[in-house]
Amino acid sequence: MPNICVIHGHPDSRQPHFCRALGKAYLEGAREAGHQVSEIVVGDLEFDFLRSATAFANDPAEPLMAEREKISAADHVVIIFPLWLGGAPALLKGFLEQIACGGFFLETAESEKEFPKAKMKGKSLRIIVTMGMPSLIYNTWFGANSLKGLEKGMFGLSGFKPIRHKLIGMVETDDEARHVRWLNSVRKLGERAI
């Protein structure tokens, strides 16, 4: 059975929100199917933003090293976040930068002619993004550029494969039946560990 790490990327962990409900649904499905699970709640973590290449070259301080171990142990990683200003919230991006410190995702190339070594090979990734606009508009009109940047950039270069995503638009609707359908579809993803 795969080991799954769910990263709750919403910056506000104090308030109930749909991203957290989606994460809970994924975890419930995974547990019911017998998968091992761990979770990271980015909004609960205290850390500084990176400000120099020197800081990026060193491993992060605690509590981030312990959280990084959850990603190391995982066969499959799930990141859930709301679309803010066209991309991932700054706190989530800051977390990912801190986790990447010290060559965690990529081993530095020996020369300009070499490509950095991907250190996440053998792991798969699912990104779930919620948004207020219709997901079709984000995907077609805006080209899902911020999502593609994450998929092809840091995660693709790091060796995660396959990388899948699920876009959930119009989350602010008061249509409870739609919310239930979305939660059930994410629960099924957890059962299948995809």
Side-chain angles (χ1 to χ4, degrees):
M1 290 295 189
N3 186 322
I4 301 168
C5 178
V6 173
I7 301 173
H8 302 278
H10 197 296
D12 186 0
S13 62
R14 296 168 296 151
Q15 301 295 322
H17 46 73
F18 196 58
C19 282
R20 194 61 180 267
L22 290 167
K24 183 179 176 190
Y26 192 100
L27 287 164
E28 286 171 357
R31 284 186 182 114
E32 287 168 10
H35 307 306
Q36 284 187 283
V37 297
S38 64
E39 57 187 315
I40 299 170
V41 182
V42 174
D44 285 349
L45 301 172
E46 295 289 331
F47 57 88
D48 294 326
F49 285 93
L50 293 177
R51 297 181 184 271
S52 69
T54 303
F56 188 71
N58 298 310
D59 286 333
E62 290 297 352
L64 296 178
M65 285 298 286
E67 300 303 320
R68 194 158 88 166
E69 290 305 312
K70 295 175 184 176
I71 297 170
S72 288
D75 303 301
H76 181 62
V77 177
V78 179
I79 303 173
I80 303 168
F81 64 87
L83 189 72
W84 283 10
L85 295 177
L91 192 68
L92 175 59
K93 292 195 312 195
F95 167 78
L96 294 172
E97 287 176 359
Q98 285 281 2
I99 292 300
C101 282
F104 178 67
F105 286 126
L106 288 171
E107 190 173 294
T108 307
E110 301 274 329
S111 73
E112 291 180 13
K113 295 179 182 178
E114 293 180 3
F115 203 73
K117 181 182 175 189
K119 295 173 78 175
M120 297 291 119
K121 287 185 176 177
K123 298 181 188 295
S124 57
L125 179 73
R126 163 76 63 180
I127 301 173
I128 300 173
V129 186
T130 65
M131 60 196 72
M133 73 175 91
S135 58
L136 182 65
I137 299 294
Y138 174 70
N139 208 19
T140 55
W141 183 264
F142 294 103
N145 289 323
S146 60
L147 177 61
K148 288 177 185 173
L150 282 174
E151 290 177 337
K152 293 182 180 180
M154 179 177 63
F155 295 121
L157 290 173
S158 309
F160 284 96
K161 190 174 180 181
I163 298 173
R164 299 178 180 99
H165 65 258
K166 181 172 183 66
L167 303 176
I168 302 175
M170 305 297 290
V171 294
E172 292 152 3
T173 180
D174 58 0
D175 186 341
E176 189 175 335
R178 287 179 76 184
H179 284 136
V180 169
R181 280 196 305 273
W182 289 326
L183 291 168
N184 286 336
S185 70
V186 168
R187 186 175 286 108
K188 287 176 184 169
L189 293 176
E191 289 171 5
R192 297 169 54 204
I194 60 170

